């Protein structure tokens, strides 16, 4: 009997070693040297990565035990050649039944508690106003609006004052963040009839301009404006009622039922794109993979997430905000550039007007880091960088240093 246990342990260790070799090595190192996970640019993401690797190792151990026993049983308890008889009939084993209920329950509980602790650490002051002054709580707020199919961002101090000092400042369509500041993202999916009308108008204008080269019409970030102020209960209720009316009219029409003029009008207000009706009253999800944290953008409901970007985005880094919720035909194109800059550059960027921001895109801000921190006149420098990157889209640091 003792020898058998030793053999079984051997099988488990053997399976574990094989599983580890074919899982962990490519996971950590990867075929291309990058491993499974993208770069890490947030202070909170480290704990999530640790959790991820911890759970991967835990899964490997369980896999090794299960597969070790299966392989051992196949080898040692297989029927002898010519033996066509039934196997031994075994009925009930209280000890085993307790074990296979208790052990998985403990594992699930441990996973749940560890995940809770990690998420809790990342959410200082997110849902608790009293804790919002504690260290680790947000120092800045970004209002995030997801719409079909794009993103818009507006920046505020944590007291809710617009960063640029201009309440009517046009939201940015790219996400630019200062390094080493905890940022709280207030996330919402655009909805409401006014939007539908405005998007419809915008999209048909884009299409009329014959801009067929673009797969998706560029929709101005301003379309989410009404949503910035969707703070009262009445506003939210009105938005919900709009959504319900639209949905009911759509369902009625889909079921082949007669719809009245009012319902027809509701449906007519939905924007069309390439002949398809686009419903913007859908959910999205706000995600920067390199920051790890992700939150749903729900129509009519604010959701929150916060993280601290801790790496200035260099010229070779290419990070994006992506939508992580299948939201329609343009879902795969629902992404925009994001970048992290030093505090001085951010303060300068936040005050730029709409016109000047056209040059200060993430692509150009990334190249600006080639000049090091000591840029005397950012207005001039960004204009030069913008000119360079237009002439040479693959321009790298050498070209920037040489020409500027
Ligand atoms: Cu999506």
């Amino acid at each position: 009997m003792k020898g058998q246990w030793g053999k079984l342990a051997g099988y488990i260790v053997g399976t574990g070693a094989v599983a580890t070799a074919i899982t962990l090595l490519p996971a950590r190192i990867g075929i291309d040297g990058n491993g499974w996970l993208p770069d890490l640019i947030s202070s909170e993401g480290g704990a999530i990565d640790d959790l991820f690797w911890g759970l991967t190792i835990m899964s490997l151990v369980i896999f090794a035990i299960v597969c070790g026993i299966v392989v051992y049983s196949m080898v040692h308890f297989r029927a002898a050649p010519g033996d066509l008889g039934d196997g031994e009939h075994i009925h009930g084993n209280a000890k085993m039944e307790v074990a296979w209920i208790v052990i998985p329950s403990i594992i699930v509980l441990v996973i749940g508690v560890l995940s809770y602790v990690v998420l809790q650490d990342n959410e200082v002051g997110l849902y608790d106003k009293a804790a919002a002054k504690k260290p680790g709580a947000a120092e800045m707020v970004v209002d995030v609006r997801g719409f079909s199919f794009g993103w818009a961002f507006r920046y505020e101090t944590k007291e809710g004052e617009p960063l640029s000092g201009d309440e009517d400042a046009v939201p940015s369509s790219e996400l630019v963040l200062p390094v080493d500041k905890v940022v709280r993202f207030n996330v919402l999916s655009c909805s409401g009839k006014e939007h539908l009308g405005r998007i419809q108008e915008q999209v048909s204008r884009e299409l009329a301009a014959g801009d067929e080269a673009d797969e998706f019409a560029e929709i101005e970030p301003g379309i989410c404006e009404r949503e910035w102020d969707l703070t009262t209960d009445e506003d939210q209720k009105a938005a919900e009622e709009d959504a319900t009316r639209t949905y009911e009219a759509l369902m009625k029409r889909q079921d082949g039922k007669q719809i009245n003029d009012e319902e027809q009008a509701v449906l007519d207000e939905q924007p069309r794109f390439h002949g398809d009706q686009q419903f913007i009253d859908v959910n999205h999800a706000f995600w920067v993979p390199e920051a790890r944290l992700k939150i749903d953008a729900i129509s009519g409901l604010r959701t929150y997430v916060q993280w601290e970007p801790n790496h200035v985005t260099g010229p070779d880094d290419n990070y994006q905000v992506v939508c992580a919720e299948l939201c329609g035909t343009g879902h795969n194109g629902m992404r925009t550039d994001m970048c992290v800059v030093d505090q001085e550059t951010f303060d300068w960027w936040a005050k730029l007007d709409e016109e000047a921001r056209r040059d200060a895109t993430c692509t150009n801000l990334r190249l600006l880091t080639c000049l090091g921190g000591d840029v005397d006149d950012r207005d001039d420098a960004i204009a030069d960088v913008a000119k360079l990157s237009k002439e040479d889209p693959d321009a790298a640091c050498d070209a920037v240093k040489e020409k500027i």
Side-chain angles (χ1 to χ4, degrees), residues 58-116:
M58 207 179 192
S59 309
L60 274 174
V61 171
I62 295 169
F63 180 83
I65 294 173
V66 172
C67 282
I69 294 174
V70 168
V71 176
Y72 175 83
S73 305
M74 279 161 57
V75 173
H76 288 272
F77 302 121
R78 68 184 188 278
D83 177 4
L84 297 175
D86 287 344
E88 192 185 338
H89 186 75
I90 302 164
H91 182 79
N93 185 326
K95 272 187 202 159
M96 267 174 76
E97 283 169 25
V98 169
W100 79 52
I101 290 170
V102 171
I103 295 173
S105 303
I106 292 173
I107 293 171
V108 171
L109 212 69
V110 167
I111 294 174
V113 169
L114 287 176
S115 307
Y116 179 83

Side-chain angles (χ1 to χ4, degrees), residues 3 40 46 75 79 110 126 146 151-152 157 162 166 174 194 200-201 206 229 280 285 321 341 351 366 369 380 382:
L40 177 62
V75 173
V110 167
L126 202 54
W151 297 98
T157 62
D166 177 5
E174 291 187 353
E194 280 93 337
Q200 185 175 33
E201 193 195 74
E206 296 272 346
D229 306 318
I280 60 163
V321 174
V341 296
K351 291 195 184 72
R366 281 198 292 263
T369 60
D380 278 353
I382 203 77

Side-chain angles (χ1 to χ4, degrees), residues 157-215:
T157 62
K158 70 175 172 183
E159 286 77 29
E161 301 297 326
L163 259 194
S164 61
D166 177 5
E167 268 187 40
D168 298 322
V170 175
S172 166
S173 60
E174 291 187 353
L175 178 63
V176 179
L177 297 174
V179 71
D180 295 336
K181 265 208 169 166
V182 181
V183 183
R184 171 196 179 107
F185 299 92
N186 294 353
V187 183
L188 196 71
S189 164
C190 289
S191 62
K193 232 157 70 174
E194 280 93 337
H195 286 320
L196 300 178
R198 292 186 61 179
I199 288 190
Q200 185 175 33
E201 193 195 74
Q202 176 76 16
V203 170
S204 49
R205 210 163 359 122
E206 296 272 346
L207 290 179
D211 205 2
E212 293 286 346
D214 284 332
E215 196 183 346

Side-chain angles (χ1 to χ4, degrees), residues 160-339:
E161 301 297 326
L163 259 194
S164 61
D166 177 5
E167 268 187 40
D168 298 322
V170 175
S172 166
S173 60
E174 291 187 353
L175 178 63
V176 179
L177 297 174
V179 71
D180 295 336
K181 265 208 169 166
V182 181
V183 183
R184 171 196 179 107
F185 299 92
N186 294 353
V187 183
L188 196 71
S189 164
C190 289
S191 62
K193 232 157 70 174
E194 280 93 337
H195 286 320
L196 300 178
R198 292 186 61 179
I199 288 190
Q200 185 175 33
E201 193 195 74
Q202 176 76 16
V203 170
S204 49
R205 210 163 359 122
E206 296 272 346
L207 290 179
D211 205 2
E212 293 286 346
D214 284 332
E215 196 183 346
F216 300 105
E218 275 279 320
I219 300 172
E220 57 173 278
I223 53 167
C224 285
E225 260 161 40
R226 178 178 168 268
E227 295 299 333
W228 303 126
D229 306 318
L230 194 78
T231 44
T232 65
D233 288 350
E234 287 95 82
D235 279 344
Q236 294 200 5
K237 215 170 144 225
E240 266 168 40
E241 281 168 8
D242 273 340
T244 311
R245 257 199 306 276
T246 311
Y247 180 75
E248 281 172 358
L250 180 71
M251 285 298 116
K252 235 171 134 180
R253 194 181 62 182
Q254 266 183 7
D255 292 343
K257 290 184 189 143
Q258 194 69 33
I259 53 174
N260 60 33
D261 289 351
E262 203 185 315
E263 287 162 337
Q264 186 60 51
V266 168
L267 289 180
D268 285 345
E269 270 174 11
Q270 306 302 316
R272 278 168 194 281
F273 186 67
H274 285 199
D276 289 334
Q277 219 156 21
Q278 296 293 319
F279 289 88
I280 60 163
D281 201 6
V282 295
N283 295 340
H284 306 282
F286 169 70
W287 189 33
V288 177
E290 288 79 10
R292 302 294 189 268
L293 288 138
K294 176 166 74 174
I295 195 82
D296 283 350
I298 311 279
S299 209
L301 174 80
R302 268 163 206 274
T303 51
Y304 309 98
V305 67
Q306 69 185 22
W307 43 269
E308 179 190 50
N310 59 5
H311 278 292
V312 170
T313 312
D316 299 326
D317 302 324
N318 193 359
Y319 306 138
Q320 289 194 314
V321 174
V322 300
C323 174
E325 184 80 56
L326 185 57
C327 56
T329 48
H331 167 67
N332 67 330
M334 190 170 163
R335 45 180 68 225
T336 187
D337 278 354
M338 78 81 59
C339 52

